[in-house]
Amino acid sequence: MAETTLEFALSNLTEKLLDNMGVIGVIKNDVSCLLSELNHLRAFLIEANRNRRGSEILKHFVEELNRAINKAENSIDKFMIEVKLHKKRGIYRIFDLCYLVKAKRCCSDIRSIMEKLKEIRKDTAYALSLPLQFDDSKQTAHQLKRAPVVEEDEVVGFDLQADEIIKRLLGGSDDVEFISIVGMPGLGKTTLANKVFKSVGYEFYNRIWVYVSQSYTRRDLFLKIINQFTRNTEQYRYVTEEDLAKVIHKHLLSGKYLIVLDDVWTREPLDDVKIALPNKMRGSKVLFTTRDDEVGKSCCNKPHHIKFLTDHECWELLQKKVFHKDKCPLDLEVLGKSIAKKCMGLPLAALVIAGALTGRGKTKSEWEIVHQFVSEHIISSDIMMTKKLVQMSCDSLPVNLKACFLYCGAFPKGSEIPAWKIVRLWIAEGFIRETMGSTVESVAEGYLNELVSKSLVMVTQRTSNGQIKTFRVHDILHEFCTLEASEENLFKEIKLGVEQSFPRNQELSTFRRLSIDSSVQEFISTNPYGDGIRSFLCFSSRNIVMSPYELETIPKSFPLLRVLDTESILFELETTRKSPFQKQLFQLYHLRYLAISSDSLKILPKFMEDLWNLQTLIISTQQETLNIEADICNMPQLRHVHTNASGKLCPSVLKTRNHRSALQTLSIIEAETLTEDVFARCQNLKKLGIRGDMTKLVGLLKLEYLEKLKLMNLASGKLQLDSENYGFPRRLKQLTLSGTWLDWEEIHRAVGHLELLEVLKVKENAFKGHSWELEKDYVFPYLKVLCIESSELVCWKVCDENFPSLEWLVLRNINKLEEIPINFANITNLKMMDLVDTTAESTIKSAQEIESQSVCTGFKLTIFPPDT
C-alpha cells in the first residue's frame, strides 16, 4: 500500500503551503481552501496507516489520494519557481503578464484537484470502519531518540564454531588456504565470520574484509581490496584489471595475510582473487562465506556448515536483544520461550522478532500479539517466514521511521551506508520533523539508533567515540525494502537486465524517487522526462565518465528535483562560469541535497545562490582548490558543505555581514579565506575542517557551538591561537591537529580548558619537542580517546589523575618513545591500547607491562604489525 508515501506527500504539501503563504499572494485563497481539505483528509489517513492489511477498496482510495496530492504538489512547486523568478525581476515585474497567466492556471489546477479530493473523501466511511491492528501513535520522536543501541557484536551460539574456524586459520600451510563458511540466508554466516575476523585479525600482517555480493565484477573486487590498503582508490580509476592485480600482489608480499570474502555467489570471485595472491606466503588464508554448498566445496575440501541455533540459544539471543543486561520478567518467560522456539534456529528470525518486541509494552497481551503473528506465518520456507517477520516488525514502526527504513533499500545490496549521509538524505526527503528541543539532525540520528536497536540494520563501523559510522542492511531485509518501497511508491529501482527495461515517460510520471545502478548512461540516453520525480540517486559500481551534454539531461528531465546524488559518476565539467550544465544545474530551485564529482570542477559560480532550498552540498573534485563565488553563508537553508578540495571563499563574501548563517558543517575550507567576519556570521557551526596557512588564523573563539574541529596547517610556522583567551571554543568534543607546531608544554594550556573534549587526535607535527610531562592538576576530565601519530616524543610522564575517563589510547608510528607511562594501568576505564607501526622494543615492553597490571577487566592490547 501507499500510506507511507501519502503521509509524506500530505505533510510536505501542508508544510510547504503554510511556510509560503506570505509569498503566493495571488493564489492565497485557493491555497487556503486546499489546506482545509487536506486537514479533513488527515483523519482518514490515520486510520489507513493503522490498518496496514486493509481491503482492496482502501488500497484504491489511498492510491487515488496519492495521485491527487502529488499532482497538487507539482502544480504548486512549479508556481513557487515562478513566484521567486517574478520577484527577482524587480520593478520590471509589473510588465510580467506571463506570471498572471501562470497564476490563473495554478488556481484552476488547485480547484480541479480539490474537487477530486472531495470526491475521494465521500467514500471513506467503509475504509474507516475497518478494525485496527497496531497502535503506534504513542511512540514519539523523543522516545526514538532515547532508544537503546544494541551492540552488533553480541552474538549467541557461535563460540564453539568460532574456535573451530580460528584453529584452522592459525594452522600453518605453505600455500594460501581457502576456508568456506556455508549456510542459508539469515543463519549468521557474516556474524560468525566477523567474530572470527575480530579475534584473529592481529595475528596477520594484512587483514582485509570485502563484501562480494551477487552483483560482482572483478574490477570492483580488486578496488575494494586496494581500498583496504590506501583508503583512496581515485588514482586507480583508469588502471587495468591486470595492473590492479599486480598492485594487490605487491602489497600482500609485506607479510602473512587474511582475506575475508563475504557473500560469494559463484566460484568466479574465488578464481579472480587467486590471480592477485602471492603464493608460498606461509600461514596466509582466505575465508569466504556462501549460501551455495557447491561454491563452498570448490576451493575448500572441508567447508564449515554453519549450525542452526538451539531453542535455548534462540531464547538467549532474544533476551539479550530485548532486555539487554536485564532478565526477562517471570510472567513473560514461558511465552518468550515459545516465541523463541518458533524462530526455528534462525538467528535473523530471532533478531527480527526481538525488534518487533522492542519498544512494545512488556505485558502478556502485547507479547501474545507477536506470538500469534509468528504462529500464523510459520510456513515451509524459512526465508519466507523471515520476510513475514520483517513485515510484522516494519508494520509496527511509526510512519516516519518506516519510511526511513525502507529508504535504505535505495542503496545497493550489501553496501556500507555512511551514517552521516543517510541522515542528510532523510532530512532532504522530508522524512524527519523537527521536535521541541531537538534539531532535525539529532532526531534523524535517533531514528538510526532505533533501527539498530530493532535489528533492522547492522552496524559495520563505529567512530572513535562510539557513534555509528557505517551500517549495512541484511540481504533478506534489503530485498524486503526494495519490494515494499516499490509497492509504497517510495522509490523505484531502475535497472537494465535480461527481463528488465527502462520505464517509459508515462510510467515515470507516477514515480517520486529513482534509484539507478550502473546503467545510468543508457537511461539518460533515452531522454526521460518526469516532472513528478523528486529524487535521483545513482550508485554506480563501475567507472562512469559523463560529458557535459549528457549531464544537461538530468535537470532538463527532472526539473523539480529535491535530491540529486551522482557522487559515484565522474563528470567532465567545463571550468568556465558560463558552462551550460552549471546553468541548468543551478536552476533546480527545489534542490535540497546535491552531491557531485568532477575531475575538473574549480568554480562554484555565484548563481548557485539561486538554490534557495539547498540544505546539503557535497563536492568531490580532483582539483586542489575550489573557488566558491557564491555567498554560501547567506543561503537560507544551507547547513552542510563538504568538499575534498580546499574551498576558497571569494572576497565579496568575506565583506558581507548582513546575515547569520545556517551553516552547521564546513569542510574543507582554505585557512587564508577565513576571517573574523566569516566566523562572526557562521556562529551555528558544529563541524569545521580547515586546511592551509594557519599562522594568522583568528576568530575561532566566536564559534561557541563548535563540536568538531580539524586543523591541517600546511605552513612551516606555528599556529597562533587567540592571545586573549588562549585555546579553542569551549564546547569542542573532537579535536584533530596536524602541522600546528605547538610545544608539548602548551598542550594543557591549549586544550585543558575544553571540559567536554572526548576525542583528541594529535597527528604529524601537531606538537614538537621530545618531552611531555603533565602535572597532577592538569586534568582532561571527559577525554575518552587519545591518538598520537608520527611524533618525535621520547619522554612521556603522566599522573593517575590526568586522564580519568580515557577508554582508548592509540600510538601510531611513534618510534622514539622510551616507554608508555605505567600510570595508564591504573585508569579503570582504559579498555583498549593500540600500537600501530610503533616498533621500539622498550615501548612494546611497557605496553605489555600495562596490560599485565591493568585494573580494567577485559583490557585489550593490540600490536600491529604482529611481527613486532
Side-chain angles (χ1 to χ4, degrees):
M1 286 190 189
E3 298 96 325
T4 302
T5 46
L6 175 59
E7 164 65 22
F8 289 113
L10 191 56
S11 297
N12 284 331
L13 182 55
T14 302
E15 185 177 333
K16 182 179 298 180
L17 295 177
L18 289 172
D19 288 346
N20 293 282
M21 285 295 275
V23 297
I24 54 177
V26 290
I27 63 168
K28 188 173 182 178
N29 292 335
D30 292 284
V31 167
S32 297
C33 293
L34 179 59
L35 273 173
S36 176
E37 184 59 36
L38 293 178
N39 287 329
H40 285 309
L41 287 168
R42 285 193 177 278
F44 163 70
L45 183 57
I46 291 171
E47 299 302 322
N49 278 329
R50 288 176 173 174
N51 194 0
R52 177 61 179 82
R53 293 301 165 198
S55 67
E56 287 300 311
I57 297 175
L58 178 61
K59 178 180 178 180
H60 175 73
F61 282 156
V62 171
E63 289 175 351
E64 285 289 302
L65 283 172
N66 228 332
R67 278 194 286 270
I69 290 174
N70 287 343
K71 188 176 179 182
E73 187 178 28
N74 288 351
S75 182
I76 292 170
D77 276 351
K78 290 175 183 177
F79 184 68
M80 286 300 302
I81 294 174
E82 294 301 325
V83 171
K84 294 286 186 180
L85 296 177
H86 178 69
K87 289 198 169 188
K88 283 185 70 175
R89 293 186 179 102
I91 60 172
Y92 296 103
R93 60 189 177 198
I94 59 175
F95 304 109
D96 192 359
L97 298 179
C98 288
Y99 172 71
L100 297 176
V101 172
K102 290 174 181 177
K104 187 175 180 181
R105 186 185 306 155
C106 184
C107 290
S108 176
D109 289 344
I110 290 174
R111 289 167 190 162
S112 174
I113 292 164
M114 276 196 297
E115 290 303 315
K116 180 67 176 176
L117 292 175
K118 288 177 182 177
E119 182 183 328
I120 295 170
R121 190 160 62 87
K122 287 179 182 178
D123 302 320
T124 60
Y126 174 74
L128 292 176
S129 68
L130 294 175
L132 305 183
Q133 290 180 344
F134 294 101
D135 184 4
D136 56 34
S137 59
K138 296 178 182 178
Q139 191 167 12
T140 65
H142 178 68
Q143 289 172 309
L144 294 178
K145 181 184 174 186
R146 297 176 61 85
V149 177
V150 179
E151 290 301 321
E152 65 281 4
D153 55 355
E154 284 183 1
V155 293
V156 171
F158 286 155
D159 290 344
L160 293 177
Q161 296 189 71
D163 290 343
E164 184 181 331
I165 296 173
I166 289 170
K167 187 176 179 181
R168 293 176 65 179
L169 288 176
L170 299 182
S173 58
D174 291 335
D175 291 327
V176 179
E177 184 180 354
F178 282 69
I179 300 170
S180 61
I181 299 175
V182 181
M184 63 169 288
L187 203 48
K189 299 183 296 296
T190 301
T191 303
L192 176 57
N194 188 45
K195 181 178 176 69
V196 170
F197 186 71
K198 288 181 176 179
S199 300
V200 304
Y202 285 98
E203 295 290 336
F204 295 86
Y205 191 90
N206 291 303
R207 59 171 189 160
I208 297 163
W209 181 290
V210 176
Y211 182 81
V212 180
S213 82
Q214 192 175 12
S215 55
Y216 155 83
T217 65
R218 179 194 290 185
R219 181 179 188 83
D220 189 39
L221 174 64
F222 286 171
L223 287 173
K224 284 180 178 178
I225 293 174
I226 291 172
N227 187 56
Q228 300 284 311
F229 298 121
T230 65
R231 298 294 175 190
N232 181 12
T233 56
E234 283 298 318
Q235 59 185 308
Y236 300 104
R237 184 182 286 269
Y238 303 109
V239 175
T240 64
E241 292 177 1
E242 290 74 15
D243 288 338
L244 291 176
K246 291 176 183 177
V247 172
I248 296 170
H249 188 279
K250 183 179 179 180
H251 276 293
L252 293 179
L253 284 173
S254 56
K256 185 171 71 170
Y257 57 83
L258 169 65
I259 298 177
V260 177
L261 302 177
D262 187 29
D263 197 21
V264 176
W265 285 66
T266 65
R267 179 169 177 165
E268 188 180 0
L270 305 175
D271 292 336
D272 287 341
V273 81
K274 286 179 183 179
I275 299 171
L277 301 182
N279 292 320
K280 304 301 179 183
M281 295 292 291
R282 184 172 179 82
S284 295
K285 301 290 191 296
V286 176
L287 178 67
F288 66 97
T289 69
T290 181
R291 60 185 68 183
D292 191 318
D293 192 42
E294 291 301 315
V295 174
K297 293 175 182 176
S298 63
C299 294
C300 178
N301 295 327
K302 188 183 176 184
H304 178 90
H305 290 91
I306 195 166
K307 300 174 180 62
F308 285 83
L309 297 181
T310 64
D311 290 346
H312 174 73
E313 288 168 340
C314 274
W315 172 231
E316 187 183 348
L317 179 59
L318 201 65
Q319 281 190 98
K320 275 191 173 184
K321 295 300 181 183
V322 176
F323 298 103
H324 311 296
K325 295 180 180 179
D326 298 330
K327 284 283 186 181
C328 174
L330 290 176
D331 62 325
L332 294 177
E333 193 167 318
V334 174
L335 194 57
K337 287 181 177 178
S338 179
I339 292 174
K341 188 174 183 179
K342 296 180 185 297
C343 295
M344 301 173 69
L346 271 174
L348 182 60
L351 292 173
V352 171
I353 291 174
L357 292 171
T358 301
R360 300 182 74 87
K362 302 297 188 292
T363 63
K364 270 191 174 182
S365 59
E366 292 284 345
W367 280 42
E368 280 170 354
I369 294 174
V370 177
H371 182 268
Q372 182 182 356
F373 190 96
V374 175
S375 301
E376 290 173 357
H377 293 92
I378 296 296
I379 53 179
S380 56
S381 168
D382 294 326
I383 297 176
M384 287 301 296
M385 181 202 76
T386 305
K387 288 181 179 178
K388 291 288 185 182
L389 295 173
V390 176
Q391 181 74 68
M392 178 190 68
S393 186
C394 187
D395 284 348
S396 68
L397 298 176
V399 64
N400 293 58
L401 187 57
K402 179 182 177 182
C404 290
F405 170 55
L406 296 181
Y407 191 81
C408 295
F411 286 76
K413 184 183 289 187
S415 62
E416 285 197 24
I417 304 173
W420 69 268
K421 182 167 187 171
I422 199 73
V423 162
R424 306 282 188 266
L425 284 168
W426 284 344
I427 294 169
E429 295 287 6
F431 297 161
I432 310 297
R433 294 285 179 263
E434 194 167 352
T435 60
M436 187 69 69
S438 299
T439 63
V440 284
E441 285 82 7
S442 62
V443 173
E445 287 163 5
Y447 278 20
L448 181 55
N449 282 332
E450 176 72 0
L451 293 179
V452 172
S453 74
K454 288 184 175 294
S455 301
L456 292 174
V457 301
M458 304 178 292
V459 177
T460 49
Q461 292 185 68
R462 289 191 179 273
T463 61
S464 54
N465 63 341
Q467 300 300 308
I468 300 171
K469 185 175 183 179
T470 61
F471 67 94
R472 258 188 62 200
V473 181
H474 191 282
D475 284 2
I476 292 177
L477 275 66
H478 187 278
E479 185 178 343
F480 170 83
C481 285
T482 53
L483 292 173
E484 188 78 357
S486 180
E487 183 181 340
E488 295 260 8
N489 198 20
L490 191 70
F491 66 82
K492 176 66 177 177
E493 195 175 23
I494 304 292
K495 284 186 175 180
L496 185 62
V498 178
E499 299 180 357
Q500 294 172 310
S501 59
F502 296 132
R504 296 178 181 274
N505 287 347
Q506 186 175 358
E507 188 182 2
L508 270 178
S509 65
T510 64
F511 302 142
R512 303 303 275 180
R513 301 172 184 87
L514 302 181
S515 172
I516 189 165
D517 64 0
S518 300
S519 53
V520 60
Q521 272 181 306
E522 293 86 343
F523 176 61
I524 291 299
S525 67
T526 65
N527 292 316
Y529 182 81
D531 59 4
I533 301 296
R534 292 299 188 270
S535 301
F536 188 87
L537 306 169
C538 181
F539 304 102
S540 174
S541 59
R542 59 185 175 89
N543 290 329
I544 296 180
V545 179
M546 294 182 70
S547 67
Y549 172 76
E550 290 174 299
L551 295 174
E552 284 181 47
T553 307
I554 297 176
K556 286 180 180 177
S557 299
F558 314 116
L560 300 180
L561 278 179
R562 290 189 193 131
V563 172
L564 177 57
D565 186 353
T566 53
E567 201 174 359
S568 61
I569 303 172
L570 188 67
F571 292 173
E572 290 182 335
L573 296 182
E574 298 174 27
T575 58
T576 61
R577 293 171 179 79
K578 297 182 179 180
S579 162
F581 169 69
Q582 291 199 33
K583 281 189 174 182
Q584 291 283 346
L585 179 67
F586 297 124
Q587 287 173 4
L588 292 172
Y589 299 113
H590 290 286
L591 211 57
R592 299 177 183 175
Y593 180 103
L594 173 61
I596 192 169
S597 298
S598 170
D599 59 346
S600 55
L601 187 62
K602 294 181 179 179
I603 298 170
L604 287 181
K606 186 168 179 58
F607 48 79
M608 190 185 82
E609 295 173 13
D610 290 339
L611 300 181
W612 52 75
N613 288 301
L614 193 64
Q615 300 170 354
T616 299
L617 175 65
I618 302 168
I619 301 291
S620 177
T621 177
Q622 295 182 17
Q623 303 300 310
E624 290 185 4
T625 59
L626 181 69
N627 292 320
I628 304 175
E629 297 182 349
D631 186 357
I632 58 174
C633 301
N634 203 38
M635 295 175 69
Q637 303 296 329
L638 188 59
R639 297 202 291 271
H640 306 283
V641 176
H642 302 262
T643 172
N644 61 334
S646 296
K648 298 177 68 172
L649 301 177
C650 67
S652 61
V653 173
L654 305 183
K655 296 175 183 177
T656 309
R657 299 192 61 177
N658 62 338
H659 178 76
R660 181 159 175 168
S661 173
L663 282 170
Q664 296 180 23
T665 303
L666 196 53
S667 181
I668 302 289
I669 294 296
E670 191 174 85
E672 293 87 338
T673 64
L674 288 173
T675 65
E676 287 191 82
D677 288 349
V678 173
F679 288 137
R681 295 179 66 194
C682 298
Q683 292 181 30
N684 291 318
L685 276 176
K686 293 184 177 180
K687 182 178 180 180
L688 176 63
I690 308 175
R691 182 193 294 153
D693 183 354
M694 299 186 197
T695 55
K696 297 179 181 179
L697 184 66
V698 291
L700 275 174
L701 288 174
K702 294 183 183 295
L703 306 178
E704 55 181 295
Y705 298 107
L706 196 66
E707 295 180 357
K708 298 180 182 179
L709 176 62
K710 187 173 185 178
L711 300 181
M712 295 162 280
N713 186 28
L714 303 182
S716 56
K718 177 179 175 181
L719 174 68
Q720 299 297 322
L721 295 172
D722 195 305
S723 57
E724 184 179 334
N725 186 5
Y726 196 84
F728 298 97
R730 288 187 173 273
R731 296 194 188 188
L732 275 185
K733 293 182 179 179
Q734 296 185 39
L735 177 62
T736 301
L737 301 175
S738 174
T740 47
W741 297 102
L742 297 169
D743 296 316
W744 281 111
E745 291 79 11
E746 296 177 284
I747 189 168
H748 189 266
R749 205 175 148 209
V751 301
H753 67 294
L754 303 177
E755 296 180 352
L756 302 179
L757 191 66
E758 296 178 353
V759 179
L760 176 60
K761 296 182 181 180
V762 179
K763 298 198 172 184
E764 188 172 8
N765 297 325
F767 288 87
K768 58 186 176 69
H770 300 294
S771 177
W772 180 19
E773 296 185 23
L774 283 170
E775 300 293 337
K776 186 176 181 179
D777 57 340
Y778 286 179
V779 180
F780 299 84
Y782 294 106
L783 193 67
K784 295 179 180 179
V785 180
L786 175 60
C787 176
I788 304 176
E789 183 177 323
S790 301
S791 170
E792 298 292 309
L793 193 61
V794 176
C795 179
W796 187 12
K797 294 182 181 180
V798 303
C799 302
D800 295 354
E801 296 83 1
N802 295 143
F803 303 103
S805 304
L806 195 65
E807 297 178 2
W808 188 12
L809 175 64
V810 181
L811 300 180
R812 187 184 301 272
N813 194 24
I814 310 294
N815 294 314
K816 294 184 179 181
L817 185 63
E818 293 174 349
E819 64 177 7
I820 305 170
I822 191 63
N823 306 71
F824 282 107
N826 301 325
I827 301 176
T828 56
N829 293 308
L830 189 59
K831 302 170 185 175
M832 294 182 291
M833 183 182 294
D834 291 357
L835 271 60
V836 182
D837 295 327
T838 298
T839 56
E841 186 176 343
S842 61
T843 308
I844 294 172
K845 187 176 179 181
S846 64
Q848 292 168 337
E849 189 175 348
I850 291 170
E851 181 183 29
S852 65
Q853 297 184 29
S854 175
V855 297
C856 177
T857 304
F859 177 87
K860 183 178 179 182
L861 172 64
T862 299
I863 301 174
F864 185 83
D867 295 349
T868 56

